[in-house]
Amino acid sequence: QIQLVQSGPELKKPGESVKISCKASGYTFTDYAMHWVKQAPGKGLKWMGWINTYTGKPTYADDFKGRFVFSLEASASTANLQISNLKNEDTATYFCARYRTGTTVANWFAYWGQGTLVTVSS
Amino acid sequence: DVQMTQSPSYLAASPGESVSISCKASKSISNNLAWYQEKPGKANKLLIHSGSTLQSGTPSRFSGSRSGTDFTLTIRSLEFEDFAVYYCQQYNEYPLTFGSGTKLEIK
């Protein structure tokens, strides 16, 4: 069955970097884009953008341009999210998610990772 | 960006009761709306897409409806497993945007 399994929780200091991963299984990784979604503590969900898993091209939502990088390890069916120069407001749970189909047109998420909590604290 | 205004943010009900959650879009999104259920320690679960189409495996006590830019998720005859947080999401255009969530708790 289709699964998105994310890496474990991270505790970082302000100014540090973090890289979290999302390992996909149960389907052909390069056929479906991977999206990232942020959920700050006690807050709602915020779409961060997506990466074309075939070409590797990332697309970032406006609020996530600059310190956020989407990348791939396609041979390992893994998508990564790296955040540099961490700030307190980056404390959140980050989710990877996939559409039901391989479309890049806006769509709903049929599959979600379990989330990775990143805590930024001095 | 399309703003999604979800209400209420908190809802208390008893098993067997029916509840409704509202999501209002700031502009027309056709029926391009999905509803998700969030539970601790579990991956978010898609319940409904296209405003009213139940995802495979979603119990029939869940239903979705639309009136213009107003969308409603209704859960009839609440069961214990339904107490969770619910989010709406528009996918009419990028950026994708979500409602602020509704926490459904046992009264």
Side-chain angles (χ1 to χ4, degrees), chain B residues 52-64:
Chain B
S52 60
T53 302
L54 264 61
Q55 170 71 355
S56 174
T58 300
S60 58
R61 62 182 179 274
F62 289 85
S63 64

Side-chain angles (χ1 to χ4, degrees), chain B residues 90-103:
Chain B
Q90 69 80 21
Y91 54 91
N92 193 62
E93 61 185 59
Y94 285 114
L96 306 177
T97 49
F98 294 85
S100 55
T102 295
K103 186 172 187 179

Side-chain angles (χ1 to χ4, degrees), chain A residues 28-120:
Chain A
T28 301
F29 181 70
T30 51
D31 284 351
Y32 300 84
M34 192 67 75
H35 295 249
W36 291 93
V37 177
K38 176 184 179 181
Q39 186 174 36
K43 302 290 186 183
L45 300 164
K46 189 161 189 175
W47 179 73
M48 301 174 67
W50 61 283
I51 185 165
N52 184 317
T53 54
Y54 186 75
T55 64
K57 179 186 175 185
T59 299
Y60 301 98
D62 286 346
D63 287 350
F64 299 97
K65 292 178 179 175
R67 298 187 297 113
F68 300 82
V69 175
F70 305 149
S71 64
L72 302 173
E73 295 170 50
S75 60
S77 299
T78 298
N80 301 306
L81 164 63
Q82 183 162 348
I83 311 171
S84 59
N85 188 21
L86 282 162
K87 304 177 187 305
N88 289 331
E89 54 263 38
D90 295 325
T91 294
T93 298
Y94 293 88
F95 296 93
C96 57
R98 204 208 86 176
Y99 292 157
R100 182 180 65 86
T101 71
T103 184
T104 56
V105 175
N107 215 290
W108 67 86
F109 295 114
Y111 305 97
W112 293 74
Q114 83 278 19
T116 295
L117 175 62
V118 175
T119 303
V120 183

Side-chain angles (χ1 to χ4, degrees), chain A residues 5-10 19-23 80 114-117:
Chain A
V5 179
Q6 297 184 228
S7 51
E10 300 271 5
K19 187 175 185 178
I20 60 181
S21 66
C22 171
K23 183 169 177 59
N80 301 306
Q114 83 278 19
T116 295
L117 175 62

Side-chain angles (χ1 to χ4, degrees), chain B:
Chain B
D1 299 1
V2 180
Q3 306 302 317
M4 302 303 297
T5 301
Q6 187 172 342
S7 63
S9 55
Y10 173 82
L11 192 51
S14 300
E17 291 184 344
S18 295
V19 297
S20 291
I21 298 169
S22 171
C23 219
K24 183 175 179 63
S26 61
K27 62 181 183 181
S28 175
I29 59 169
S30 186
N31 64 342
N32 295 318
L33 185 109
W35 291 97
Y36 301 92
Q37 180 188 68
E38 174 191 275
K39 285 187 172 182
K42 289 192 169 184
N44 291 337
K45 181 182 179 184
L46 172 69
L47 298 173
I48 287 171
H49 64 83
S50 307
S52 60
T53 302
L54 264 61
Q55 170 71 355
S56 174
T58 300
S60 58
R61 62 182 179 274
F62 289 85
S63 64
S65 63
R66 170 198 172 197
S67 175
T69 58
D70 293 328
F71 295 81
T72 302
L73 172 69
T74 299
I75 314 171
R76 292 184 171 78
S77 298
L78 280 165
E79 298 195 5
F80 282 106
E81 65 194 40
D82 300 335
F83 292 94
V85 180
Y86 293 88
Y87 290 96
C88 62
Q89 176 224 332
Q90 69 80 21
Y91 54 91
N92 193 62
E93 61 185 59
Y94 285 114
L96 306 177
T97 49
F98 294 85
S100 55
T102 295
K103 186 172 187 179
L104 175 58
E105 288 197 341
I106 301 176
K107 189 187 292 183

